[in-house]
Amino acid sequence: MGLALIEDRDGSVWFDGEPAPTAITVARTSEPKVRTADDQLQFGTVFTDHMFRVDYTEGRGWHDPRIVPYQGFDFDPATAVLHYAQAVFDGLKAYRGKDGAIRLFRPRRHAERLVNSCRKLCIPDLDVDLILQSFHALVGVDQDWVPGKRGTALYLRPTVVATEPFLGVRPSNTYTYFLIASPVGSYYAEGINPVKILATDKYVRAVKGGTGDAKTAGNYAASIYAAVEAKHMGYTQVLWLDGVEHRYLDEVGTMNIMLQIDAEVITPPLPGTILPGVTRDSILTLCRDWGLKASERPITIQEVMEAARNGRLKEMWGTGTAAVVSPVGELGFKDERVTINGGKTGALTQKLYDAIVAIQYAEAADPHDWTTTLAPFQVRQTA
Ligand code: COI
């Protein structure tokens, strides 16, 4: 990014370089929190000292970018997002490498996906560079919160919500983009041990023409009922099938799905119903770098179950920012439950996990320039 983050004594932060510097006001907390030890971190339970915020008003555009102490919102009960879920978000991670430097993993890709999600919900475009600056500014201010233990990271949650108090169904005239940060350990209670997933033809996550390829709050709200039912049956997550024929694999909801049948790595294509995962893209790239056949093709649950029955389903795993690369040890569909690779992490899954994690922690070369080192934080003394 080539930007320097500069904090003046008056509490303003600028990015030098291209694009034109943006002034971001910083109000530091007077009550820093006690940080959780790296080996106690779970997913999404603790938050850093500060948050970034910028507001949108019709006619003024996005204005007043600022970093403030982490705090709640004071919303009118009629606020649009509370009624019609005009809300989008994304999720990315900052890692502390073995050299001590902090790196963001594919931040531009996440910023661009957030803008695409906004468009799907008629939320006015945010400038990708402003989103990137928010990542660097907040991580810069809260850099002591980036954990150092392998397997941990600072998870960033950029979010946009409709803030107009109005009960009619139309796009809001005001919005808030906010960014919060949470030091995290592994997403699943299983850690990096295999999870159990249940394919469902009873519930539907997305259909073509809907919002399945956007990261909207509503997609997740609609997934909770099926997820709770699956949990009661002993599964970790739901594997969603397509919304029309209820046959083709879509995604798991918190991660994209991949599997290996014989020597072919397969993942569903992106027909508009599946989130275009950043980790999905990274893992496909690694597979192709290694000369593996990695196909993005429609695949039915019947083909997967049949391959499992006759021993051709070698491995299955999920990919996601929160989940990283998560092995699947058991797959259920209707009355059948199959164990994959003896319920253990497969060799390819492990190799993919090791490879992506090594890039994230700067333990290995980064040939595709996926990581961006945090813009250096400087204090400029003013009179
Ligand atoms: C992510 O992987 O970043 C997600 O957003 C998945 C889940 C935590 C909602």
Side-chain angles (χ1 to χ4, degrees):
M1 198 180 188
L3 298 171
L5 183 62
I6 302 170
E7 183 177 7
D8 276 0
R9 274 211 310 241
D10 66 1
S12 296
V13 169
W14 283 269
F15 288 98
D16 274 352
E18 295 298 326
T22 305
I24 299 173
T25 307
V26 178
R28 285 185 183 264
T29 184
S30 54
E31 293 172 8
K33 302 174 197 167
V34 176
R35 296 205 303 273
T36 307
D38 287 7
D39 57 4
Q40 299 294 311
L41 290 171
Q42 300 169 3
F43 186 87
T45 54
V46 291
F47 300 94
T48 64
D49 281 325
H50 299 92
M51 60 193 279
F52 174 94
R53 178 174 178 173
V54 63
D55 299 312
Y56 177 91
T57 313
E58 184 90 338
R60 252 184 106 184
W62 291 99
H63 57 86
D64 296 330
R66 56 203 185 274
I67 288 177
V68 293
Y70 188 95
Q71 59 193 260
F73 293 110
D74 186 9
F75 279 159
D76 189 296
T79 299
V81 67
L82 303 179
H83 299 268
Y84 309 121
Q86 200 189 359
V88 297
F89 66 93
D90 216 280
L92 69 156
K93 282 178 175 168
Y95 296 87
R96 192 178 292 281
K98 68 167 186 182
D99 55 358
I102 297 168
R103 292 174 183 80
L104 301 169
F105 189 71
R106 307 193 74 176
R108 182 168 288 277
R109 190 102 177 188
H110 283 282
E112 288 168 352
R113 190 171 69 178
L114 182 69
V115 172
N116 282 336
S117 298
C118 285
R119 288 183 183 154
K120 279 257 167 160
L121 289 205
C122 294
I123 296 172
D125 270 10
L126 268 155
D127 182 10
V128 166
D129 285 310
L130 177 61
I131 300 172
L132 287 171
Q133 288 165 1
S134 74
F135 298 163
H136 284 262
L138 184 63
V139 178
V141 168
D142 278 339
Q143 56 188 276
D144 289 349
W145 284 85
V146 182
K149 187 170 174 271
R150 209 171 190 273
T152 65
L154 187 69
Y155 182 81
L156 303 182
R157 174 52 66 85
T159 307
V160 191
V161 293
T163 52
E164 188 182 351
F166 174 70
L167 289 186
V169 182
R170 59 146 172 80
S172 173
N173 285 321
T174 59
Y175 297 87
T176 292
Y177 163 75
F178 63 88
L179 173 67
I180 53 175
S182 172
V184 295
S186 63
Y187 182 72
Y188 295 115
E190 289 90 336
I192 52 168
N193 297 317
V195 295
K196 301 175 182 179
I197 58 174
L198 174 69
T200 178
D201 58 0
K202 187 170 160 198
Y203 305 109
V204 163
R205 175 184 174 274
V207 287
K208 278 187 188 156
T211 57
D213 59 349
K215 223 162 162 55
T216 70
N219 288 347
Y220 292 85
S223 74
I224 290 174
Y225 191 92
V228 169
E229 206 171 88
K231 267 227 154 76
H232 285 144
M233 295 165 70
Y235 292 96
T236 324
Q237 291 264 308
V238 171
L239 170 59
W240 298 98
L241 302 177
D242 76 279
V244 177
E245 294 184 52
H246 312 301
R247 283 158 45 83
Y248 294 95
L249 271 55
D250 258 7
E251 61 160 78
V252 174
T254 51
M255 52 189 193
N256 294 109
I257 193 74
M258 292 191 183
L259 50 115
Q260 186 194 1
I261 295 182
D262 300 325
E264 183 188 14
V265 172
I266 306 163
T267 194
L270 301 173
T273 55
I274 297 175
L275 192 76
V278 177
T279 313
R280 172 189 181 278
D281 178 80
S282 310
I283 292 297
L284 280 175
T285 303
L286 287 178
C287 286
R288 288 169 184 155
D289 284 353
W290 297 343
L292 296 174
K293 181 179 178 194
S295 313
E296 295 171 76
R297 68 166 175 89
I299 179 163
T300 63
I301 186 67
Q302 288 77 14
E303 183 182 343
V304 177
M305 297 307 276
E306 178 62 23
R309 273 182 231 117
N310 60 29
R312 294 175 54 224
L313 176 63
K314 306 293 183 207
E315 299 183 29
M316 191 174 217
W317 64 90
T319 62
T321 296
V324 193
V325 173
S326 183
V328 177
E330 200 172 309
L331 171 64
F333 180 57
K334 294 187 185 288
D335 295 330
E336 200 175 352
R337 269 177 115 123
V338 294
T339 301
I340 302 164
N341 192 46
K344 301 205 167 61
T345 304
L348 179 59
T349 308
Q350 187 66 54
K351 188 176 168 191
L352 288 165
Y353 174 85
D354 291 343
I356 195 163
V357 165
I359 294 172
Q360 290 165 338
Y361 290 96
E363 295 163 0
D366 177 13
H368 299 286
D369 286 332
W370 285 335
T371 60
T372 304
T373 305
L374 188 69
F377 189 85
Q378 302 169 15
V379 178
R380 189 170 69 190
Q381 298 295 326
T382 52

